């Protein structure tokens, strides 16, 4: 393990600076004893704390307890006439510096916890969220709900800057390294309630030392139910971090405090995982307005004719089945890596099926490469303009059912699939769908390629920003772009990720989400071989290779393409579980009655608000079991509602928010009825004739 650096890098003067006119919460008797000169009392107190903690961990976390019972290997607690410190038993180095003849382990912890929200050593993440109005033109329905909350908050008084939190309450807190645990114990004593806590300590020795100081049984009681995540030595699974943020969809999206006590490669790696999950949590909510557009597009694209036998024949073949075909599939993205891979693709075009993803089609055609299939997933009404001036004959479109119908009209042949995660994907309950088919079109292409291809090759699927390169390939729909030559030129929310080759690569929330979904799909479907030829982010499950490291064997490409197209059918009974008529019968009454109960929780204070927001977002997840269709349709706009309720409430200068929350719930119930009416009016236009 790398040596954990001494805290001498911290300026002690900075540690004792606190917010002007701010009086920190009092510490308890434990710190009074630690600050006394009674060495016998100190030793007796911390020994008893250790015994209590070991008893707690033995009963509740036996595996952790077994590790704690081992002898120290690298760090141990030091207690002498200068006070408490941590010593590296290998080289005798001390972790905490000495000031005026006394170690700063205790005083540093006290100062670091005086006001974390404004302390310079802490980082406060807010996602730059502020109270503002949603566009009525872009989000006509969601904006009415969202903006009504803003208007309702005005009479209660809104702070022009900052926020107001109860003095004894902290939001979500992330601690990277415990430094012996005194910072954590000081937080526990100063704050009656911590909403959520994520702790990572890479050293078992340092965690063992924390057992002398932290009252862990009390800590677990002070943090909201199931909201204290503790990792020692390793994360075990990065998905646990995703779960942490999934359970805090609203509360952790706005306010998250982070303290990194020391800088090591492992802590940096963990910080990147946390930042990635945090960034992913903030994206992809969608809105009712977007979903409704997708529904209308889907109903147009899934037009049908009724046969004499009462069956329905679809206008376009729909994805329903998969089998492996004897051909590798090359998924071509529009990342800058594509520039150098065009010769490879052209040379091997007859030895693999080519999936062009979105705007990658223009660089391919410009280089004389005609892809076999073009993938699209976006519902935007201007998507068709991306194909202006392109020769599309001989290319088959494979698109999500929610794509604007003007795009389908450009191609000689169009095949349709359900894009998992969209409301339109639930229409008629498809027998098959593309999993992990967002946020980018490359995710959809990867999903199908992994399901049916013998092997998968990635070209230009970079999943990030490559330092020294543009964002997209040359000659694409986006025209001339400036290269990212310095880190400061990258989007501010980007963070460094492992590269596939020797480049420096960064990702933001969307790229990270895309990479994460690709990795998940590869784990599920497991093609024979997956090769990543690009210079972007490393994709777990794919081998990093150069184009000259391997060769492809000959295939019967025409037969493979014909087999692939057979996975799509025009027969509704072949494509869907439910009869066509059933979709139009569900008006959402059951779902909306459940929704009203979820949001009927009484909220008087900001502490209660945080609990309510978590319960509501979890309730939305559970509501998916009642109706995946209605849940997906409504969840995004409801999440935005919850977010603006939080922003407005925290901007009020008092902890009493009961009257505001009453108004917010009245608005919510009123607008729910409008959402339901808007949807039902739309689908009635596409309802089959009963005759």
């Amino acid at each position: 393990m790398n040596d954990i650096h001494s805290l001498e890098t911290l300026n002690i003067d900075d540690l004792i600076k606190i917010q002007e006119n701010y009086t920190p919460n009092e510490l308890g008797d434990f710190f009074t004893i630690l600050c006394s000169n009674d060495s016998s009392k100190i030793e007796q107190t911390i020994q008893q704390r250790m015994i209590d903690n070991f008893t707690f961990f033995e009963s509740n976390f036996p595996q952790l307890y077994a590790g704690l019972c081992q002898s120290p290997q690298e760090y141990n607690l030091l207690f002498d006439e200068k006070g408490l410190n941590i010593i590296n038993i290998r080289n005798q180095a001390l972790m905490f510096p000495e000031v005026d003849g006394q170690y700063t382990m205790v005083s540093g912890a006290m100062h670091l916890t005086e006001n974390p929200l404004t302390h310079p050593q802490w980082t406060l993440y807010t996602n730059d969220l502020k109270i503002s109005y949603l566009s009525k033109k872009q989000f006509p329905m969601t904006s009415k709900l969202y903006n009504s909350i803003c208007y309702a908050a005005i009479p209660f008084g809104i702070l022009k800057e900052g926020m107001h939190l109860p003095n004894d309450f902290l939001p979500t807190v992330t601690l990277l390294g415990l430094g012996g645990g005194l910072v954590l114990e000081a937080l526990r004593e100063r704050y009656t309630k911590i909403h959520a806590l994520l702790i990572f300590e890479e050293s078992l020795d340092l965690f063992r030392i924390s057992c002398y100081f932290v009252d862990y049984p009390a800590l677990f009681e002070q943090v909201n139910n199931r909201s204290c995540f503790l990792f020692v030595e390793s994360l075990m699974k990065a998905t646990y971090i995703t779960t942490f943020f999934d359970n805090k969809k609203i509360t952790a999206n706005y306010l998250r405090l982070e303290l990194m006590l020391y800088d090591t490669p492992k802590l940096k790696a963990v910080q990147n995982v946390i930042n990635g999950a945090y960034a992913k949590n903030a994206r992809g909510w969608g809105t009712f307005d977007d979903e409704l557009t997708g529904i209308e597009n889907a109903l147009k694209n899934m037009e049908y004719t009724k046969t004499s036998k009462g069956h329905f024949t679809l206008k376009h073949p729909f994805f329903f089945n998969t089998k492996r075909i004897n051909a590798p599939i090359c998924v071509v993205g529009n990342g800058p890596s594509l520039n150098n891979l065009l010769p490879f693709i052209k040379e091997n075009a007859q030895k693999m099926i080519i999936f062009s993803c979105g705007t990658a089609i223009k660089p391919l055609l410009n280089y004389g490469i005609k892809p076999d299939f073009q993938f699209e997933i976006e519902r935007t009404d201007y998507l068709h303009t991306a194909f202006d001036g392109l020769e599309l004959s001989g290319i088959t479109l494979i698109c999500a059912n929610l794509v604007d119908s003007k795009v389908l009209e450009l191609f000689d042949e169009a095949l349709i699939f359900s894009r998992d995660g969209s409301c339109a994907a639930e229409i008629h309950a498809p027998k098959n769908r593309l999993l992990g088919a967002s946020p980018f079109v490359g995710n959809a292409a990867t999903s199908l390629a992994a399901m049916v291809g013998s092997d998968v090759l990635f070209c230009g699927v970079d999943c990030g920003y490559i330092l020294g390169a543009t964002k997209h390939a040359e000659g694409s729909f986006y025209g001339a772009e400036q290269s990212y030559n310095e880190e400061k030129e990258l989007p501010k929310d980007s963070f460094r990720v492992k590269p596939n080759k020797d480049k420096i690569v960064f990702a933001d929330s969307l790229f990270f989400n895309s990479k994460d979904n690709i990795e998940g799909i590869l784990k599920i479907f497991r093609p024979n071989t997956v090769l990543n030829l690009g210079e972007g982010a490393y994709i777990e499950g794919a081998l990093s290779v150069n184009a000259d490291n391997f060769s492809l064997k000959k295939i019967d490409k025409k037969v493979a393409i014909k087999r692939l197209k057979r996975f799509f059918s025009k027969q509704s009974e072949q494509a869907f579980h439910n009869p066509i008529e059933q979709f139009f019968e569900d008006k959402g009454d059951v779902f909306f009655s459940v929704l009203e109960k979820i949001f009927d929780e009484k909220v008087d204070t900001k502490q209660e608000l945080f609990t309510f927001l978590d319960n509501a977002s979890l309730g939305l997840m559970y509501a998916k079991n009642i109706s995946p269709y209605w849940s997906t349709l409504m969840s995004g706009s409801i999440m935005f509602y919850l977010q603006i309720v939080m922003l407005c409430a925290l901007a009020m200068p008092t902890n009493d928010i009961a009257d505001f929350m009453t108004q917010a719930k009245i608005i919510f119930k009123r607008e729910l009825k409008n959402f339901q009416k808007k949807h039902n009016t739309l689908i009635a236009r596409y309802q089959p004739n009963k005759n």
Side-chain angles (χ1 to χ4, degrees), residues 488-557:
K488 64 182 180 181
E489 297 173 354
L490 295 166
K492 64 178 181 179
D493 62 342
S494 58
F495 48 92
R496 193 163 177 173
V497 294
K498 182 179 178 180
N500 190 51
K501 298 285 180 64
D502 58 355
K503 302 291 185 180
I504 298 174
V505 183
F506 290 78
D508 57 16
S509 58
L510 279 176
F511 278 131
F512 186 85
N513 189 5
S514 176
K515 184 177 93 76
D516 191 44
N517 285 349
I518 288 173
E519 291 170 348
I521 287 299
L522 296 180
K523 287 178 183 176
I524 293 172
F525 295 111
R526 299 183 178 279
N528 295 331
T529 308
V530 183
L531 305 178
N532 186 359
L533 286 75
E535 296 181 315
Y538 174 78
I539 296 173
E540 186 177 339
L543 299 173
S544 174
V545 297
N546 294 320
D548 56 1
N549 289 157
F550 67 96
S551 60
L552 297 175
K553 63 182 181 181
K554 291 182 178 180
I555 61 170
D556 192 333
K557 188 168 178 175

Side-chain angles (χ1 to χ4, degrees), residues 179-321:
L182 274 176
V183 169
L184 179 56
E185 176 60 17
L187 284 178
R188 192 196 68 75
E189 293 188 17
R190 289 194 194 275
Y191 296 92
T192 306
K193 201 74 175 175
I194 302 174
H195 180 64
L197 188 58
L198 194 159
I199 303 166
F200 181 84
E201 174 52 72
E202 67 177 271
S203 166
L204 182 62
D205 286 348
L206 291 176
F207 183 77
R208 185 186 299 107
I209 292 170
S210 78
C211 293
Y212 284 109
F213 304 112
V214 181
D215 187 341
Y216 280 105
L219 177 70
F220 277 82
E221 289 296 320
Q222 281 173 244
V223 179
N224 267 6
N225 185 36
R226 302 178 66 85
S227 295
C228 186
F229 282 45
L230 173 62
F231 302 93
V232 180
E233 292 192 303
S234 74
L235 280 180
M236 297 174 66
K237 291 183 180 179
T239 51
Y240 292 154
I241 302 298
T242 303
T243 300
F244 179 84
F245 285 104
D246 281 345
N247 293 342
K248 306 279 172 288
K249 201 77 175 175
I250 304 298
T251 54
N253 187 44
Y254 177 42
L255 294 178
R256 179 170 71 90
L257 280 163
E258 181 182 272
L259 179 65
M260 181 181 279
L261 278 176
Y262 23 81
D263 187 354
T264 69
K266 183 179 279 190
L267 282 184
K268 277 288 188 185
V270 171
Q271 186 184 45
N272 282 341
V273 172
I274 291 172
N275 285 342
Y278 172 70
K280 182 179 177 181
N281 180 56
R283 303 298 291 263
W285 292 4
T287 65
F288 172 88
D289 307 272
D290 290 336
E291 293 294 345
L292 202 64
T293 299
I295 292 168
E296 184 162 21
N297 288 345
L299 292 174
K300 289 179 181 178
N301 295 332
M302 296 160 70
E303 284 182 359
Y304 49 81
T305 55
K306 198 169 185 177
T307 67
S308 57
K309 295 182 179 181
H311 298 302
F312 292 94
T313 301
L314 301 171
K315 181 179 179 181
H316 300 287
F318 202 94
F319 179 55
F320 78 102
N321 191 24

Side-chain angles (χ1 to χ4, degrees), residues 23 40 52 88 243 338 342 348 548 557 569 607 669 687:
T23 303
S40 176
D52 293 343
N88 186 317
T243 300
L338 179 58
L342 290 170
N348 291 276
D548 56 1
K557 188 168 178 175
S569 172
Q607 295 95 320
K669 290 181 179 181
Q687 192 161 357

Side-chain angles (χ1 to χ4, degrees), residues 295-480:
I295 292 168
E296 184 162 21
N297 288 345
L299 292 174
K300 289 179 181 178
N301 295 332
M302 296 160 70
E303 284 182 359
Y304 49 81
T305 55
K306 198 169 185 177
T307 67
S308 57
K309 295 182 179 181
H311 298 302
F312 292 94
T313 301
L314 301 171
K315 181 179 179 181
H316 300 287
F318 202 94
F319 179 55
F320 78 102
N321 191 24
T322 59
K323 288 182 181 178
R324 291 279 177 205
I325 59 177
N326 189 28
I329 296 177
C330 182
V331 179
V332 183
N334 193 28
S337 291
L338 179 58
N339 297 334
N340 297 325
L341 293 172
L342 290 170
F344 164 82
I345 298 171
K346 188 170 187 177
E347 182 181 339
N348 291 276
Q350 295 307 310
K351 297 179 181 179
M352 59 188 185
I353 295 174
I354 301 172
F355 283 3
S356 168
C357 303
T359 53
I361 189 169
K362 193 171 182 180
L364 287 172
L365 292 176
N366 287 345
Y367 201 78
I369 302 168
K370 179 164 285 193
D372 303 297
F373 297 94
Q374 171 67 17
F375 272 75
E376 296 295 344
I377 65 168
E378 298 299 330
R379 62 173 71 88
T380 53
D381 61 2
Y382 56 83
L383 181 59
H384 64 286
T385 63
F387 300 97
D388 287 348
L390 301 183
E391 175 53 57
L392 302 176
S393 61
I395 303 172
T396 297
L397 175 68
I398 300 182
C399 69
N401 61 346
L402 50 70
V403 168
D404 192 288
S405 58
K406 293 191 291 292
V407 177
L408 281 71
E409 294 167 1
L410 299 174
F411 291 82
D412 298 332
E413 183 180 24
L415 309 176
I416 296 178
F417 63 86
S418 284
R419 191 186 89 185
D420 191 49
S422 67
C423 181
E426 306 298 336
I427 296 175
H428 309 321
K431 291 183 178 179
N432 214 331
R433 65 184 70 194
L434 295 190
L435 303 176
S438 62
F440 295 129
V441 63
N443 291 97
T446 297
S447 183
L448 186 60
M451 292 170 82
V452 306
S454 60
D455 310 273
V456 177
L457 294 82
F458 290 122
C459 291
V461 183
D462 291 331
C463 297
Y465 304 98
I466 302 172
L467 217 58
T470 56
K471 185 176 181 180
H472 301 98
E474 294 173 2
S476 76
F477 171 78
Y478 299 98

Side-chain angles (χ1 to χ4, degrees), residues 66-92:
L68 292 173
C69 290
Q70 299 171 10
S71 300
Q73 301 297 308
E74 192 167 6
Y75 297 100
N76 211 343
L77 184 66
L78 173 67
F79 182 36
D80 60 22
E81 68 280 357
K82 296 179 182 179
L84 292 159
N85 210 330
I86 295 173
I87 187 169
N88 186 317
I89 55 181
R90 295 177 180 175
N91 58 22
Q92 303 302 299

Side-chain angles (χ1 to χ4, degrees), residues 547-588:
D548 56 1
N549 289 157
F550 67 96
S551 60
L552 297 175
K553 63 182 181 181
K554 291 182 178 180
I555 61 170
D556 192 333
K557 188 168 178 175
K558 287 184 177 179
V559 170
I561 290 175
K562 186 178 291 187
R563 286 192 62 194
L564 193 154
K565 290 182 180 181
R566 287 178 186 159
F567 302 147
F568 297 78
S569 172
K570 285 189 175 185
Q571 304 310 310
S572 66
E573 66 272 18
Q574 210 170 16
F576 307 125
H577 287 294
N578 294 343
I580 294 287
E581 298 93 340
Q582 186 172 327
F583 168 73
F584 299 93
E585 294 168 359
D586 182 4
K587 306 301 182 183

